[in-house]
Structures are given as structure tokens and as C-alpha cells.
Amino acid sequence: MELHTFSERFRKSHVQKWSQQRPIAVFCCVDSIEARKLIWEAIKHKAQFFTDGRMAAEVIRVLACDVPSIDRHYQTTLFSASEAYAGECTSKSTIYTASIAAGLMVGQFTRWLRQMPIIREQVFNLLAQELTAS
């Protein structure tokens, strides 16, 4: 496995340079629905695996797809920025939520690596201790 990280703003032009010699997995870890739309449109025909972690306080939503080029579900989870929930930033009290989201995303990645069916959507409400998956 080769791991490439970029500590800079995402640009569509980066994707054009990606080699198709190896399967590409994309982890979308951004805090804006507009950024998610931009990333999805740029990578859906290049990546073989995609996962997106979203959270609001102690509610986590992890989306994943193993064939982004034909996936129809992820697109339905995108909406306009004006419709986004604007919760207060409570990062000090919910930093553990981001770690759990990351673990769920890596869990989907390992399922993909093992050629097991991925779970396309998981919602975990930590306060209620409820996990739903579909």
C-alpha cells in the first residue's frame, strides 16, 4: 500500500494526476457539504473505494461505496449548504466522536480490502447507544 496525504485544499487537478496502476481509496474527512460535493464529483470515476465520515456532536454518519463510478446512493446524501445543520462547535467534548468515526471508516476499508460486502451507511448515536446500518 502507498499512502499519500495532502495538507492543502483539495483541487480537481490533483485527481487528474492520479495513476490508475493501483486501486485508489479515498477517505473524505471534511466539514463542509460543498467540499464533499466537489470531492465526490472529482473522484467518483477514479476511485475504487470511497468513504465519508460526518458528525454532529455525538452523532456519527459513515457512508461508503466500493464502486463509486456506479454508486447511486451517495449522491442522494448531498444537499445544499443552506440545508446543513449548523450545530455549535464542541470539539473539546466530542473529539472522541471523530476517533470513532475514523474507526468505522477504516472498518469499511478493511472489509473492502478483504473483498467483503461494505455497509453503505452507518449512523451511530453515541448518547442513545444506537447503531443503524444499511
Side-chain angles (χ1 to χ4, degrees), residues 17-69:
K17 299 173 189 173
W18 290 357
S19 169
Q20 290 297 110
Q21 299 295 338
R22 297 180 182 195
I24 295 170
V26 175
F27 288 75
C28 186
C29 307
V30 297
D31 63 357
S32 128
I33 198 68
E34 294 302 326
R36 285 181 173 89
K37 286 180 188 178
L38 176 73
I39 293 167
W40 176 251
E41 288 302 318
I43 66 89
K44 68 182 177 183
H45 294 293
K46 285 267 195 175
Q48 285 72 45
F49 172 83
F50 176 81
T51 186
D52 177 10
R54 303 177 186 183
M55 59 179 266
E58 280 118 337
V59 177
I60 301 164
R61 185 178 187 192
V62 172
L63 299 145
C65 53
D66 54 356
V67 187
S69 63

Side-chain angles (χ1 to χ4, degrees), residues 8 13-14 21 27-28 30 36-37 42 46 53 63 67 70 81 83 86 109 113 119-120 122 124 128 133:
E8 57 190 46
S13 60
H14 290 154
Q21 299 295 338
F27 288 75
C28 186
V30 297
R36 285 181 173 89
K37 286 180 188 178
K46 285 267 195 175
L63 299 145
V67 187
I70 63 169
E83 297 175 80
F109 181 58
L113 288 173
I119 300 166
R120 70 180 185 168
Q122 300 173 79
F124 192 4

